[in-house]
Amino acid sequence: METTVSKSEAPRRGLVERLKSIGPGMVIVASFIGPGTVTTATRAGASFGYALLWAVVFSILATIILQEMSARLGIITQKGLGEAIAEQFSNPIIKYGTMTLVIVAITVGSTAYITGDLMGGSTGLSILTGLPQKVIGPVLGIIILFLALKGSYKIVEKFMIGLVLVMGITFITTMIVVRPNIGEVFQGAFLPSIPLGSIITVIALIGTTVVPYNLFLHAATVNERWKSPDDLKESRRDSMISILIGGLITAAILITSATVMKGMTVESVGDLSIQLEPVLGSWSSAFIGIGFFAAGLSSALAGPLGAAYTISGLLGWKNGMKDKRFKAVFAGITVFGIFSTLTGFEVVSVIIFAQAINGILLPFIAFLLLVIVNNKKRLGGYANNLTQNIIGGVVVIICAGLGIYSLVDAIGAFLG
């Protein structure tokens, strides 16, 4: 007997299969939506209303463009960006100089950020439970350590997808409940403006989304799922859907704060929960606490993961998360974060230092990526075409401007 599939059933199956393809892109989203992004978007909305939504839109487009190149490189070559950098240059001085700079910068940046991520995650859980941050932070670090050292990549991926879904449900639901002005939302998203005093906030919104180690992380993690050029379409779908969801989450945070907090000074995300009380009542603290906890935990997991994949690729370690050296790098960075939360290390100074490292690294890595995806010996017919180069070049130039400005700002903060 023949089995017929109705027209209504076929699309459902197609949708299920498409949703199953979501994975590496969500890991990138889990990485860039951390406590820094939540806090920056909250302050942007409170200080400038909906006016800076366009910066979120731009940052998401830039992320999609750069991450597509990274994922394409990983699928076509079945190697990570670190391996590609190591093989790109024949001159030993350029080769090893570049490798050393990338290893040092990524490692220092990741160890700096994991401290803030753990403290951010513990802030969210502290709001929910009332327990002190210094108790919660190390516990979260130990959970992250256990997941990476005992679990496979698939387990880590599913865990991070779960955290993104928690953030999405929490922040998007909150945005809907506060009933923003839709007309002003669209105006802020598609009519760029730079209100007086907003330039640093614009740079921060973009800089918290376009993250250097995510380019290494994406090129490496697509290898865990896809092996053929035929999979490029599925990978692009994964990246597009995932990063758009990440952008919607960031936008939801900004829109919510713009609706309920415009004109207020934001000292912490806890301030947002106070302003939501008239709308959400006793649920306000729970919503913000859950969202901030998920953001901190997901980003804290992605930081050392990105560093480990970067170093593994540059040094030619082949077994990914199964390699003891990979686990050692991941563990070392995570343990640093745990001890930093225990000792009460000055988080602000560390984050400023990490910002300076990011300022140097972001345009450098974006430029290296653009050079590598133009290598036809490596990518053949899948190398960048003229249109991709023009778009990618514009993004790299903007990243360079962003990096220089953020570096100068960070140096000024240190000296001041």
Side-chain angles (χ1 to χ4, degrees):
M1 177 189 275
E2 288 188 18
T3 302
T4 59
V5 179
S6 69
K7 290 183 179 179
S8 62
E9 288 179 302
R12 279 194 210 125
R13 286 187 180 180
L15 178 61
V16 170
E17 291 303 314
R18 288 181 181 182
L19 291 176
K20 284 181 180 179
S21 72
I22 300 299
M26 277 294 186
V27 173
I28 301 306
V29 173
S31 173
F32 73 69
I33 302 184
T37 299
V38 177
T39 303
T40 300
T42 301
R43 288 179 174 173
S47 299
F48 305 104
Y50 308 115
L52 299 185
L53 269 173
W54 66 268
V56 176
V57 173
F58 170 79
S59 66
I60 291 305
L61 292 176
T63 302
I64 288 172
I65 290 164
L66 291 175
Q67 297 297 160
E68 187 280 329
M69 293 183 193
S70 175
R72 178 165 25 108
L73 172 70
I75 291 172
I76 298 302
T77 66
Q78 285 297 293
K79 294 180 179 179
L81 179 56
E83 292 167 283
I85 290 173
E87 296 172 2
Q88 179 70 25
F89 305 104
S90 56
N91 184 304
I93 296 176
I94 297 176
K95 176 179 179 176
Y96 293 110
T98 301
M99 289 171 61
T100 301
L101 175 61
V102 172
I103 288 173
V104 171
I106 288 287
T107 302
V108 172
S110 296
T111 52
Y113 276 118
I114 191 173
T115 303
D117 290 334
L118 286 177
M119 287 194 166
S122 63
T123 297
L125 210 52
S126 181
I127 291 172
L128 290 169
T129 64
L131 293 172
Q133 291 179 336
K134 285 188 177 181
V135 173
I136 299 172
V139 173
L140 295 183
I142 292 169
I143 291 172
I144 288 169
L145 202 58
F146 177 80
L147 278 170
L149 300 185
K150 294 294 184 182
S152 66
Y153 167 75
K154 288 184 178 180
I155 293 174
V156 172
E157 181 185 89
K158 288 179 180 178
F159 182 75
M160 295 178 81
I161 290 173
L163 291 174
V164 171
L165 291 176
V166 169
M167 286 188 283
I169 292 169
T170 302
F171 290 123
I172 294 171
T173 300
T174 305
M175 176 190 67
I176 293 170
V177 169
V178 301
R179 296 182 179 180
N181 184 311
I182 301 300
E184 292 182 10
V185 167
F186 277 96
Q187 182 176 338
F190 301 109
L191 294 176
S193 64
I194 303 179
L196 185 65
S198 68
I199 186 64
I200 293 177
T201 306
V202 169
I203 290 168
L205 282 170
I206 297 170
T208 57
T209 307
V210 188
V211 182
Y213 61 69
N214 277 351
L215 300 175
F216 292 90
L217 185 59
H218 207 176
T221 54
V222 290
N223 295 338
E224 303 280 352
R225 181 177 291 241
W226 295 300
K227 306 295 183 183
S228 164
D230 295 335
D231 297 321
L232 280 174
K233 185 176 180 181
E234 192 171 343
S235 170
R236 285 171 179 145
R237 184 189 302 127
D238 165 53
S239 296
M240 182 80 73
I241 294 173
S242 299
I243 296 170
L244 286 174
I245 289 172
L248 181 58
I249 293 171
T250 304
I253 298 166
L254 190 154
I255 290 167
T256 300
S257 63
T259 304
V260 300
M261 298 183 69
K262 187 176 180 181
M264 294 186 59
T265 300
V266 178
E267 298 296 334
S268 70
V269 176
D271 294 339
L272 180 56
S273 68
I274 295 172
Q275 299 308 311
L276 285 172
E277 283 181 5
V279 180
L280 297 175
S282 59
W283 287 97
S284 62
S285 293
F287 266 72
I288 296 305
I290 291 169
F292 210 54
F293 163 70
L297 191 58
S298 65
S299 191
L301 182 55
L305 194 65
Y309 271 120
T310 301
I311 294 171
S312 293
L314 287 166
L315 299 183
W317 303 341
K318 300 295 184 183
N319 296 322
M321 292 186 70
K322 297 177 183 178
D323 195 302
K324 291 182 179 179
R325 295 166 295 184
F326 181 104
K327 292 181 178 181
V329 172
F330 190 104
I333 292 172
T334 306
V335 168
F336 176 90
I338 292 171
F339 276 105
S340 295
T341 59
L342 281 171
T343 57
F345 203 78
E346 182 51 56
V347 180
V348 175
S349 296
V350 174
I351 293 297
I352 291 173
F353 183 65
Q355 184 184 10
I357 295 296
N358 185 67
I360 298 170
L361 195 60
L362 176 57
F364 179 61
I365 296 300
F367 176 73
L368 280 177
L369 176 64
L370 192 59
V371 169
I372 288 168
V373 293
N374 272 282
N375 188 333
K376 293 188 176 180
K377 290 183 179 178
R378 182 182 300 277
L379 291 167
Y382 298 98
N384 268 16
N385 57 37
L386 179 60
T387 302
Q388 289 170 320
N389 278 330
I390 292 172
I391 296 172
V394 170
V395 171
V396 169
I397 290 170
I398 294 173
C399 285
L402 167 67
I404 292 169
Y405 196 101
S406 63
L407 177 59
V408 171
D409 183 56
I411 292 173
F414 269 121
L415 296 176

